[in-house]
């Protein structure tokens, strides 16, 4: 079964940190570019960060640049998102996605809540 499973979300105070993980299975993980997207309550999907298949290139939304770091371990079929200096506006469900030219796979999401 092709799937992505996110983990690592939770409740954190403003200024805190979290590390999200996304484990892939059922497909050749290293062949796919990966990205994180998020959906805040009552809003649409927002692209957060992306990484190429071998991890050579990373990109970030302006809203998270300098605070979030995306990485991947292809030997473990896992994508990561290290989040620091979290703000209340980072509260959202975070999804990981794998994509190539013809297909896209999305996980079920993990909730991140930033609140005091």
């Amino acid at each position: 079964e092709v799937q992505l499973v996110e983990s690592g979300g939770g409740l954190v105070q403003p200024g805190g940190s979290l590390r999200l993980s996304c484990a892939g299975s059922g497909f050749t993980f290293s062949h796919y570019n990966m990205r994180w997207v998020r959906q805040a309550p009552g809003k649409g999907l927002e692209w957060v960060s992306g990484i190429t298949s071998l991890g050579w290139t990373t990109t970030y939304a302006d809203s998270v640049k300098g605070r979030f770091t995306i990485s991947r371990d292809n030997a473990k079929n896992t994508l990561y998102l290290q989040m620091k200096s979290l703000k209340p506006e980072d509260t959202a469900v975070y999804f990981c996605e794998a994509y190539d030219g013809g297909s896209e796979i999305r996980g079920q999401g993990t909730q991140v809540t930033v609140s005091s």
Side-chain angles (χ1 to χ4, degrees):
E1 179 185 4
V2 173
Q3 64 177 352
L4 292 168
V5 179
E6 300 95 336
S7 61
L11 173 64
V12 62
Q13 292 186 342
S17 299
L18 280 175
R19 187 196 197 201
L20 305 184
S21 298
C22 168
S25 60
F27 64 101
T28 306
F29 187 85
S30 61
H31 287 186
Y32 283 73
N33 296 323
M34 301 290 296
R35 59 193 173 207
W36 289 97
V37 298
R38 66 187 182 185
Q39 187 166 26
K43 297 188 177 181
L45 281 174
E46 175 191 17
W47 172 78
V48 174
S49 180
I51 187 167
T52 51
S53 58
L54 298 181
W56 291 348
T57 302
T58 58
T59 50
Y60 299 92
D62 287 344
S63 59
V64 307
K65 199 171 295 182
R67 301 188 298 121
F68 290 11
T69 303
I70 191 171
S71 62
R72 65 191 295 163
D73 185 339
N74 285 344
K76 296 181 178 180
N77 290 347
T78 303
L79 174 74
Y80 303 99
L81 186 68
Q82 179 67 53
M83 306 185 294
K84 300 187 295 184
S85 302
L86 283 161
K87 304 175 181 180
E89 51 263 43
D90 294 317
T91 294
V93 178
Y94 284 71
F95 301 90
C96 62
E97 295 182 343
Y99 64 99
D100 64 8
S103 63
E104 182 179 292
I105 307 162
R106 180 186 295 167
Q108 85 291 345
T110 186
Q111 175 71 48
V112 172
T113 302
V114 184
S115 175
S116 54

